[in-house]
């Protein structure tokens, strides 16, 4: 069984002091939650990673720590970048790579995303590789072509069991921060296609093990229907992860869809 993952991408929100309050509230909201049935990760800004790592350890919280980005380089004269070596030292478990905002605002190519995924694995972390189409691509009927290219390029850079441990997040760009959400059927159709692509690259066995998340205006009100789909293994949550009660409700909605 694929263990569902609910990961909160805070984007450029919350100071390190605000981050403490949010994670403490989340810990309270999810007290008694079975983290082996639904895994929970928080991905704060870089400035809060050390603070949240200390909080998780000190309060013995069961959240996994994630970063929102990573450099493909391990060290060097790259002003403003953060390396996988640095993240590894902070016990970061997951790294989001290829988010649409990184691709479309900062110009990251499929090849850059693949290099970042490779760097994350090289230092003991698991990349959450994002893929997704624009509104124009959706209207043009090339959703499957777009996500297939993105996934193929990212997985081609990985070696051995790395590709089998990667997490993929399908995030239709037209649904991110817009309030628009893919229907559960639409999400399932595209994610099912992604799994078929992975099976063609790695075989049916590994494809059945890889977790594929949905992201794009996920809220407590739609999380249950989305994660109930056969191929949807959780969610990468944006704005709703900034509210402890809302994010906890999403986790609980996903838990309700896990078979005993």
């Amino acid at each position: 069984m694929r263990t569902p993952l609910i990961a909160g991408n805070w984007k450029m929100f919350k100071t390190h002091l605000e981050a403490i309050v949010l994670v403490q509230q989340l810990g309270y909201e999810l007290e008694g939650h079975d983290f082996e049935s639904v895994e929970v990760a928080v991905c704060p800004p870089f400035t809060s990673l050390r603070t949240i790592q200390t909080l998780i350890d000190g309060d013995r919280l069961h959240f996994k720590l994630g970063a929102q980005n990573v450099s493909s380089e391990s060290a060097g004269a790259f002003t403003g970048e953060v390396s996988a070596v640095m993240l590894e030292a902070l016990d970061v478990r997951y790294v989001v790579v290829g988010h649409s905002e990184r691709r479309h605002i900062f110009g990251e190519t499929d090849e850059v995303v693949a290099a970042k995924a490779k760097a994350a694995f090289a230092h003991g972390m698991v990349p959450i590789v994002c893929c997704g189409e624009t509104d124009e691509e959706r209207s043009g009927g090339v959703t499957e072509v777009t996500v297939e290219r993105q996934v193929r390029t990212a997985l081609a850079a990985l070696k051995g069991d790395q590709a089998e441990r990667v997490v993929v997040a399908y995030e239709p760009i037209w649904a991110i921060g817009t309030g628009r959400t893919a229907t559960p059927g639409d999400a399932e159709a595209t994610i099912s296609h992604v799994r078929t692509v992975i099976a063609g690259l790695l075989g049916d066995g590994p494809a059945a093990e890889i977790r594929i998340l949905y992201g794009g205006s996920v809220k407590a009100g739609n999380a249950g229907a989305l994660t109930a789909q056969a191929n949807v293994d959780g969610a990468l949550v944006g704005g709703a992860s900034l509210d402890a009660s809302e994010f906890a409700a999403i986790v609980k909605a996903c838990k309700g869809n896990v078979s005993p």
Side-chain angles (χ1 to χ4, degrees):
M1 182 187 299
R2 298 185 298 269
T3 302
L5 169 64
I6 304 295
N9 174 21
W10 296 5
K11 305 189 180 184
M12 199 173 69
F13 293 100
K14 303 294 182 182
T15 66
H16 74 287
L17 296 176
E18 293 170 332
I20 292 172
V21 174
L22 177 55
V23 172
Q24 287 177 330
Q25 290 175 337
L26 186 60
Y28 173 79
E29 292 281 350
L30 290 175
E31 186 174 359
H33 170 70
D34 181 3
F35 289 91
E36 292 186 1
S37 67
V38 178
E39 193 176 353
V40 179
V42 291
C43 304
F46 287 131
T47 54
S48 297
L49 285 175
R50 173 59 173 163
T51 300
I52 298 307
Q53 177 216 4
T54 302
L55 179 61
I56 288 173
D57 290 346
D59 287 6
R60 297 183 180 181
L61 300 173
H62 296 285
F63 306 135
K64 300 293 175 57
L65 186 60
Q68 298 176 22
N69 190 23
V70 67
S71 173
S72 60
E73 303 292 337
S74 59
F78 302 104
T79 301
E81 292 294 290
V82 174
S83 74
V85 176
M86 298 170 182
L87 298 181
E88 180 185 22
L90 292 174
D91 294 331
V92 169
R93 171 61 175 167
Y94 293 105
V95 181
V96 179
V97 298
H99 190 282
S100 66
E101 291 158 3
R102 298 299 313 178
R103 293 178 187 266
H104 292 274
I105 297 176
F106 299 98
E108 293 185 3
T109 64
D110 294 341
E111 290 72 23
V112 167
V113 173
K116 291 185 174 190
K118 184 178 179 180
F121 266 129
H123 293 278
M125 294 170 288
V126 174
I128 300 176
V129 178
C130 298
C131 62
E133 80 282 14
T134 65
D135 206 3
E136 292 75 17
E137 288 168 332
R138 171 182 164 86
S139 300
V142 294
T143 292
E144 292 188 352
V145 172
T146 299
V147 297
E148 179 171 345
R149 185 198 73 237
Q150 293 168 339
V151 171
R152 280 184 178 275
T153 304
L155 267 58
L158 306 181
K159 298 179 180 179
D161 68 344
Q162 290 179 344
E164 299 175 15
R165 293 186 289 118
V166 72
V167 175
V168 176
Y170 167 56
E171 291 200 310
I173 297 169
W174 49 269
I176 297 175
T178 64
R180 299 168 60 194
T181 308
T183 66
D186 286 342
E188 170 66 14
T190 303
I191 289 176
S192 177
H193 175 68
V194 170
R195 200 174 300 283
T196 299
V197 170
I198 295 172
L201 292 170
L202 306 176
D204 292 339
E209 297 294 326
I210 289 176
R211 292 180 291 181
I212 307 177
L213 315 181
Y214 171 79
S217 298
V218 178
K219 300 178 176 62
N222 60 29
L226 287 164
T227 59
Q229 304 304 304
N231 284 287
V232 181
D233 305 314
L236 182 57
V237 185
S241 68
L242 299 173
D243 182 291
S245 296
E246 181 77 6
F247 188 59
I250 292 171
V251 173
K252 294 172 183 176
C254 183
K255 182 179 179 180
N257 292 322
V258 177
S259 301

